[in-house]
Amino acid sequence: MPRGHIMPLPQHVRLVEVGPRDGLQNEKQPISVADKVRLVDDLTAAGLEYIEVGSFVSPKWVPQMAGSAEVFAQIQQKPGVTYAALTPNLQGFEAAMLAGVQEVAVFAAASEAFSQKNINCSIAESLQRFVPLMDAAREQGVRVRGYVSCVLGCPYEGEVPAQQVAHVANQLFDMGCYEISLGDTIGTGTAGKTRALFETVGRDIPRDKLAGHFHDTYGQALANIYASLLEGIHVFDSSVAGLGGCPYAKGASGNVASEDVLYLLDGLGIHTGIELEALIQAGERICSVLGRDNGSRVARAWRSA
Ligand code: HMG
Ligand code: MG
């Protein structure tokens, strides 16, 4: 497809709510299981169809996610909603299965340095580690989503060539991940680079199997989402109240706020099934628990209106 070609806007977009995982994983203060459960239940009530609830990673690496099994045990699961968890290896996958998790996600990086810092191994080793996990998931009929981090820049290596992202994404896809989410972990991407990235990765992977995961560090996430829509991407990860950051990417801010993405999509007449006011209230509640201001511009405007 020639650069500059604009795809028609979709009628429906799926938002993957990553607030309870990506949003909370970086919080240093203790957050009770009850507060995490309440957040997930509030998000379910707001109409999210996909919620990443937690992760089964080493508690030494990410202590905040240590209670994920308890969170899964206590949330009210609504039929039709997917409640997923991040799993870095077979050990994490098995723990997730014991906790009754329906769907998991694996995560690799497009940059070697970030792979080492985040999961303590090379990109190739991480992909090797996923093989037994993918085999177990296939046997048990569990769907696996794949993330690629640092797709528009790395905190340690700087520029990351789109071809390198495509190489990692293709391997995850070939391994059996049903969808590949491209993560701008440090939020340095711009709309032009976002389009070029999806154009490159979309040569081998169908666009309806790709998703965008934008952190908002440079305030470009909404522009990048709009650019992605023009490239035919219809799934976006976002975090209520713009919570979060990555523990292994210094200075990375939270994901784009779900409320702000919803406002954008509502304005374009794109259906998501999510109710804005309920979502704003879910964000307001968790922000008061954390004692911090709401990172969603829409929520702040709504509050002062
Ligand atoms: P390692 O130290 O190399 O692992 O860590 P190991 O296999 O040598 O095991 C060391 C210890 O960890 C052992 O315990 C294992 O049992 C334990 P010990 O014998 O010392 O007591 N262990 C585990 N414990 C619980 N659950 C597990 C598990 N695996 C091993 N699954 C490892 C390697 C991958 C485990 C570690 O580096 C890790 O957990 N990293 C997680 C990092 C992380 O969660 N980062 C944030 C998520 S990624 C992200 O935010 C980006 C994303 O949002 C997209 C984007 O924005 O780009 C997805
Ligand atoms: Mg992230």
Side-chain angles (χ1 to χ4, degrees), residues 36 55-57 59 62-70:
K36 291 178 182 172
S55 59
F56 292 82
V57 298
V62 185
Q64 188 61 259
M65 290 290 109
S68 291
E70 288 155 272

Side-chain angles (χ1 to χ4, degrees), residues 40-288:
V40 175
D41 288 348
D42 284 351
L43 293 166
T44 301
L48 266 305
E49 53 183 291
Y50 192 114
I51 305 173
E52 202 172 70
V53 172
S55 59
F56 292 82
V57 298
S58 162
K60 284 184 198 138
W61 285 65
V62 185
Q64 188 61 259
M65 290 290 109
S68 291
E70 288 155 272
V71 178
F72 269 96
Q74 293 178 36
I75 53 176
Q76 300 280 335
Q77 300 204 13
K78 183 174 152 192
V81 177
T82 301
Y83 299 91
L86 213 58
T87 54
N89 51 21
L90 186 60
Q91 187 176 337
F93 178 80
E94 283 168 349
M97 292 304 102
L98 281 176
V101 176
Q102 299 165 356
E103 178 169 322
V104 300
V106 294
F107 47 111
S111 99
E112 280 299 342
F114 188 77
S115 185
Q116 290 291 350
K117 298 276 183 196
N118 194 36
I119 48 178
N120 204 25
C121 62
S122 68
I123 299 170
E125 281 164 347
S126 74
L127 294 167
Q128 250 343 91
R129 240 182 225 175
F130 298 150
V131 172
L133 187 163
M134 297 302 300
D135 289 345
R138 201 170 299 112
E139 270 167 33
Q140 297 178 49
V142 174
R143 301 209 311 162
V144 184
R145 193 168 191 251
Y147 282 105
V148 184
S149 290
C150 296
V151 299
L152 290 166
C154 166
Y156 311 102
E157 291 179 10
E159 288 275 324
V160 175
Q163 212 37 63
Q164 204 166 303
V165 178
H167 185 63
V168 178
N170 287 346
Q171 290 178 81
L172 288 174
F173 191 62
D174 291 346
M175 235 178 227
C177 292
Y178 75 92
E179 180 172 278
I180 310 295
S181 175
L182 301 186
D184 183 11
T185 317
I186 54 170
T188 51
T190 56
K193 281 190 177 168
T194 299
R195 290 199 68 184
L197 176 71
F198 279 118
E199 204 265 328
T200 301
V201 180
R203 283 181 204 148
D204 290 325
I205 302 178
R207 289 171 197 227
D208 63 355
K209 307 286 183 215
L210 292 173
H213 176 110
F214 296 101
H215 286 256
D216 202 26
T217 322
Y218 282 72
Q220 301 300 303
L222 283 182
N224 294 343
I225 287 175
Y226 191 67
S228 307
L229 284 169
L230 300 182
E231 286 295 322
I233 304 305
H234 302 165
V235 181
F236 298 100
D237 306 350
S238 63
S239 172
V240 69
L243 295 173
C246 177
Y248 299 103
K250 199 164 174 279
S253 77
N255 295 79
V256 62
S258 306
E259 299 88 323
D260 300 1
V261 181
L262 184 58
Y263 189 81
L264 169 76
L265 297 173
D266 283 349
L268 291 168
I270 297 173
H271 174 258
T272 58
I274 305 164
E275 208 192 305
L276 182 60
E277 199 165 318
L279 184 60
I280 290 173
Q281 274 157 2
E284 289 282 89
R285 183 187 298 274
I286 187 67
C287 285
S288 77

